[in-house]
């Protein structure tokens, strides 16, 4: 099974999101071996989910949220809790680098969010990755190890076994400057090794994706990597032809 995730970020009105969804539905054929997960802006999630229920196969696309808060309810203006979205979404992105950079999310907060996701049976997609300086100075593996050690701190080993981790080097996100597949393969192996060191056999079961300037032209190179379970796609997921072509590559690779 391969996982192809579409992170629409802060793009699209409800009407635009619906249009993109319909185009994707027309272009992508039903298949058993690729899990396609859409992460629309929260404002469009309810409409899309209801619309998806009317398709011949309502499970053709799965849904996720781009962010959640770790508390279940309370006076937290503007935040959305896991119980609020669990009927609409099966997945939640946690710790995306844009949240860490622009909204000051720390590893400590990420750990609480991961714990809250599992408490309500939503599968988290944890994003980790090094910045350009750490990459150039050769610190990527250490950065990833430190992030994982703190981010996974509140989870049990059986939860870690169900976790999806996206290796997203920050310098590759939205830049067109994608990671060399061989380097990505090493980082994917490192992520699995760290999870194994921390959580034993269960830790090694973690699913690992690559993300960062994925396009139709480079998708296959990542999908073929040893240990790569799929892709997290940002920019290219807003174009239905590009995204459908990436899904097609996954169908051909499994
Ligand atoms: P990108 O974004 O594909 O536009 O680089 C990936 C992501 O941030 O998840």
């Amino acid at each position: 099974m391969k996982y192809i995730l579409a992170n629409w970020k802060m793009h699209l009105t409800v009407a635009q999101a619906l249009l993109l969804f319909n185009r994707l539905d027309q272009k992508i054929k039903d298949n058993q071996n690729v899990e396609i997960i859409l992460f629309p802006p929260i404002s469009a999630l309810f409409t899309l989910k209801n619309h998806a229920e009317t398709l011949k196969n309502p499970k053709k696309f799965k849904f996720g949220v781009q962010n959640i808060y770790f508390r279940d309810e309370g006076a937290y203006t503007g935040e959305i809790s896991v119980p609020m979205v669990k009927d609409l979404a099966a997945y939640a992105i946690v710790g995306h680098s844009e949240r860490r950079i622009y909204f000051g999310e720390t590893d400590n907060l990420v750990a609480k969010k991961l714990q809250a996701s599992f408490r309500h049976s939503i599968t988290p997609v944890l994003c980790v990755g090094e910045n350009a300086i750490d990459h150039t100075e050769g610190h990527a593996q250490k950065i990833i190890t430190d992030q994982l050690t703190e981010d996974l701190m509140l989870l049990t080993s059986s939860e870690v076994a169900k976790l999806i981790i996206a290796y997203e080097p920050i310098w590759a996100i939205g830049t067109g400057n994608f990671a060399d597949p061989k380097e990505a393969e090493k980082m994917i192996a490192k992520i699995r090794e760290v999870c194994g060191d921390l959580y034993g056999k269960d830790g090694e079961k973690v699913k690992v994706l690559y993300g960062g300037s994925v396009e139709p032209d480079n998708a296959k190179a990542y999908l073929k990597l040893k240990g790569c379970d799929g892709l997290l796609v940002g920019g290219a997921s807003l174009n239905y032809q590009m995204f459908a072509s990436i899904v097609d590559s996954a169908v051909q690779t499994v």
Side-chain angles (χ1 to χ4, degrees):
M1 171 74 86
K2 294 279 187 201
Y3 295 78
I4 303 294
L5 280 54
N7 178 8
W8 292 355
K9 306 194 181 184
M10 199 178 74
H11 292 288
L12 310 177
T13 63
V14 178
Q16 289 167 334
L18 203 50
L19 187 66
L20 177 56
F21 181 85
N22 280 326
R23 293 239 159 101
L24 290 172
D25 181 40
Q26 282 157 13
K27 190 95 182 150
I28 294 172
K29 291 194 197 74
D30 251 331
N31 80 87
Q32 305 293 313
N33 303 320
V34 179
E35 175 106 329
I36 305 166
I37 313 168
L38 307 179
F39 295 81
I42 196 83
S43 45
L45 180 61
F46 183 76
T47 305
L48 292 188
K49 171 74 176 163
N50 279 332
H51 182 65
E53 297 293 338
T54 67
L55 299 184
K56 206 164 78 200
N57 174 9
K59 299 225 158 70
K60 180 169 171 184
F61 298 95
K62 303 283 167 43
F63 290 100
V65 288
Q66 299 173 16
N67 182 35
I68 39 113
Y69 193 51
F70 70 91
R71 295 202 193 274
D72 290 354
E73 60 178 0
Y76 303 102
T77 302
E79 292 299 305
I80 307 268
S81 72
V82 189
M84 288 171 177
V85 294
K86 64 179 282 197
D87 293 338
L88 303 172
Y91 297 88
I93 295 177
V94 174
H96 190 282
S97 61
E98 286 152 13
R99 298 229 42 102
R100 294 179 191 253
I101 294 165
Y102 303 128
F103 303 98
E105 287 198 9
T106 59
D107 287 308
N108 185 272
L109 182 60
V110 168
K112 289 180 186 160
K113 290 184 172 196
L114 291 176
Q115 188 184 40
S117 307
F118 280 117
R119 190 164 66 238
H120 298 289
S121 308
I122 277 203
T123 303
V125 180
L126 167 66
C127 299
V128 294
E130 80 285 357
N131 66 25
I133 297 171
D134 286 323
H135 176 69
T136 329
E137 292 180 352
H139 301 318
Q141 300 217 352
K142 176 170 180 340
I143 296 289
I144 298 295
T145 307
D146 290 350
Q147 282 180 338
L148 289 172
T149 307
E150 215 176 324
D151 294 350
L152 305 184
M153 197 169 52
L154 302 175
L155 301 182
T156 64
S157 56
S158 59
E159 286 170 342
V160 174
K162 291 184 215 137
L163 182 66
I164 301 178
I165 298 180
Y167 169 57
E168 294 214 305
I170 297 170
W171 48 271
I173 296 177
T175 58
N177 188 14
F178 50 87
D180 174 65
K182 279 285 148 212
E183 259 182 64
E185 188 170 63
K186 278 190 206 143
M187 294 304 289
I188 289 169
K190 181 70 188 174
I191 288 171
R192 207 165 265 113
E193 179 194 312
V194 174
C195 293
D197 286 348
L198 293 169
Y199 292 95
K201 282 263 166 282
D202 275 341
E204 286 166 21
K205 289 187 194 150
V206 73
K207 292 174 194 76
V208 189
L209 318 178
Y210 169 78
S213 295
V214 172
E215 292 165 9
D217 285 351
N218 60 26
K220 241 189 202 148
Y222 296 113
L223 289 163
K224 282 190 194 149
L225 296 178
K226 186 164 178 283
C228 180
D229 296 300
L231 302 167
L232 175 49
V233 188
S237 72
L238 293 167
N239 176 309
Y240 77 98
Q241 281 164 321
M242 285 169 103
F243 189 70
S245 152
I246 293 168
V247 171
D248 226 30
S249 297
V251 173
Q252 287 166 28
T253 321
V254 273

